């Protein structure tokens, strides 16, 4: 299948490579010329803008930072809509505000272009090995048509519902992850402050109801003082901002999300925005005057 791919960043580049490995013909577009060359060296062809991609491809995948970037690439000058034919499909795999997914899809639909919102979870390692989780919103028949294409990049592809539902699922994921990391940080700070070894507390609770993927992934990073980003604080701030915007649009209250957003904003003010979101523990350490690390001395 001939596929357009716009956005060759941390996630987009390995995802596009997996499409090539699966035998698809790619037309790629990105501001980063080194990334474009990396893909053309693997057999992809390149385009200078979204319109040029759409002139060549009936399905286009976008993997971009946030809502404004998707709107510009889809609907702006030189964007996908300028070059798209009736029946073209845009699969937006960016994590954006679901209200914007719906708005962009509505404008595309006026010109006969369908859209799926299909954000991903799993981070760069899973993008590289092709095991990301994809949550998809849009017309079921379009989802069915491109399911195998999405599976070429993923370990799991789940249809959630109408357009915007994919990003709602992603925001739900990000809320749960953020609140879990904050809970782990709070608990291990208590352990350290009370004179217990956080490592032993972690080992004691991980097999019970408090055990989770988040606990196992982030507690060791906190205790090792390893805040190399798997997922940066600044990106989680973006996601929680989208979650709060979406909640306000439907009159839902997210008090715990708001609290964690304030914690992350404090960390950003302290210059930690490029660190992994496990550095949420630094907020608790600062206000408790303690460092969460193995041992009690």
């Amino acid at each position: 299948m001939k596929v357009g791919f716009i956005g060759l960043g941390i996630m987009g580049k390995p995802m596009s490579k997996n499409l090539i490995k699966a035998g698809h013909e790619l037309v790629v577009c990105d501001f980063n010329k080194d990334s474009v060359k990396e893909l053309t060296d693997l057999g992809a062809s390149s385009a200078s803008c979204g319109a040029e991609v759409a002139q060549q491809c009936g399905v286009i995948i976008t993997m971009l930072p946030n809502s404004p970037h998707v709107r510009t690439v889809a609907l702006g000058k030189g964007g996908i809509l300028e070059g798209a034919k009736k029946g073209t499909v845009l699969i937006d795999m960016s994590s954006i505000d679901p209200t914007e997914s719906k708005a962009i899809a509505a404008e595309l639909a006026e010109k006969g272009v369908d859209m799926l919102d299909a954000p991903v979870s799993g981070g760069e390692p899973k993008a590289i090995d092709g095991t990301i989780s994809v949550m998809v919103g849009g017309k079921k028949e379009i989802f069915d048509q491109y399911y195998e294409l999405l599976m070429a990049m993923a370990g799991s592809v789940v249809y959630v519902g109408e357009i915007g539902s994919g990003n709602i699922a992603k925001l739900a994921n990000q809320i749960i992850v953020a609140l879990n990391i904050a809970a782990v940080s709070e608990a291990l700070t208590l352990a350290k402050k009370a004179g217990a070894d956080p490592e032993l507390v972690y080992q004691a609770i991980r097999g019970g109801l408090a055990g989770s993927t988040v606990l196992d992934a982030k507690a060791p990073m906190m205790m090792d003082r390893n805040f190399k980003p798997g997922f940066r604080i600044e990106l989680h701030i973006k996601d929680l901002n989208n979650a709060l915007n979406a909640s306000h649009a439907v009159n839902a209250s997210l008090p715990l999300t708001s609290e964690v957003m304030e914690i992350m904003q404090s960390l950003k003010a302290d210059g930690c925005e490029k660190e992994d979101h496990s550095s949420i523990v630094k907020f608790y350490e600062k206000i408790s005057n303690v460092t969460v690390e193995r041992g009690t001395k």
Side-chain angles (χ1 to χ4, degrees):
M1 185 182 298
K2 192 169 187 178
V3 181
F5 204 109
I6 303 174
L8 303 175
I10 289 174
M11 297 292 287
K13 185 165 66 174
M15 288 164 62
S16 60
K17 287 181 178 180
N18 284 329
L19 288 177
I20 291 175
K21 288 177 187 175
H24 296 287
E25 181 184 352
L26 256 62
V27 179
V28 300
C29 180
D30 195 272
F31 290 126
N32 187 325
K33 301 308 177 189
D34 290 337
S35 294
V36 171
K37 185 178 186 305
E38 200 171 328
L39 267 296
T40 56
D41 286 348
L42 294 174
S45 56
S46 65
S48 62
C49 63
E52 191 176 321
V53 173
Q55 287 167 0
Q56 302 177 61
C57 304
V59 57
I60 302 145
I61 295 170
T62 49
M63 190 60 166
L64 301 164
N66 207 350
S67 309
H69 308 91
V70 177
R71 174 168 284 275
T72 298
V73 167
L75 305 173
K77 183 176 174 57
I80 290 167
L81 194 57
E82 281 191 11
K85 309 170 189 69
K86 186 175 181 179
T88 297
V89 173
L90 168 61
I91 304 176
D92 179 38
M93 303 190 76
S94 320
S95 295
I96 71 172
D97 187 332
T99 58
E100 262 295 82
S101 292
K102 292 178 181 180
I104 293 167
E107 291 190 49
L108 291 171
E110 291 177 3
K111 304 293 185 181
V113 176
D114 280 306
M115 175 175 162
L116 299 175
D117 66 307
V120 310
S121 178
E124 184 182 10
K126 289 184 178 293
I128 291 170
D129 64 22
T131 59
I132 52 174
S133 296
V134 185
M135 43 220 98
V136 188
K139 295 178 182 176
K140 181 62 162 55
E141 60 268 27
I142 302 296
F143 168 81
D144 290 340
Q145 185 178 351
Y146 291 105
Y147 173 80
E148 292 299 334
L149 175 67
L150 293 170
M151 279 299 296
M153 301 175 280
S156 168
V157 176
V158 177
Y159 179 73
V160 185
E162 65 182 16
I163 191 72
S165 298
N167 273 303
I168 290 169
K170 177 59 186 287
L171 295 181
N173 180 85
Q174 296 303 84
I175 288 170
I176 291 168
V177 169
L179 269 57
N180 266 268
I181 295 173
V184 172
S185 300
E186 195 165 303
L188 294 185
T189 298
L190 169 64
K192 187 68 176 184
K193 191 75 174 180
D197 183 343
E199 166 66 19
L200 298 180
V201 171
Y202 161 61
Q203 294 296 340
I205 66 175
R206 64 189 296 256
L209 189 58
S212 69
T213 301
V214 169
L215 177 67
D216 285 338
K218 301 304 176 181
M221 292 180 69
M222 295 172 187
M223 293 183 289
D224 289 338
R225 318 309 296 164
N226 171 23
F227 302 112
K228 180 181 178 182
F231 192 77
R232 300 192 303 275
I233 284 283
E234 61 186 355
L235 293 178
H236 218 138
I237 286 174
K238 181 263 288 187
D239 287 341
L240 294 191
N241 186 56
N242 284 336
L244 291 168
N245 287 341
S247 75
H248 296 158
V250 297
N251 296 318
S253 180
L254 304 180
L256 296 180
T257 302
S258 299
E259 287 292 331
V260 178
M261 173 65 110
E262 293 306 312
I263 290 171
M264 289 188 178
Q265 293 289 351
S266 175
L267 289 164
K268 182 179 179 181
D270 285 344
C272 299
E273 70 272 17
K274 302 290 185 186
E275 295 182 355
D276 186 76
H277 47 187
S278 59
S279 66
I280 285 174
V281 73
K282 290 186 175 181
F283 173 85
Y284 288 94
E285 292 174 335
K286 183 177 181 180
I287 61 175
S288 298
N289 191 30
V290 71
T291 301
V292 173
E293 54 191 348
R294 292 177 176 82
T296 58
K297 295 181 181 180

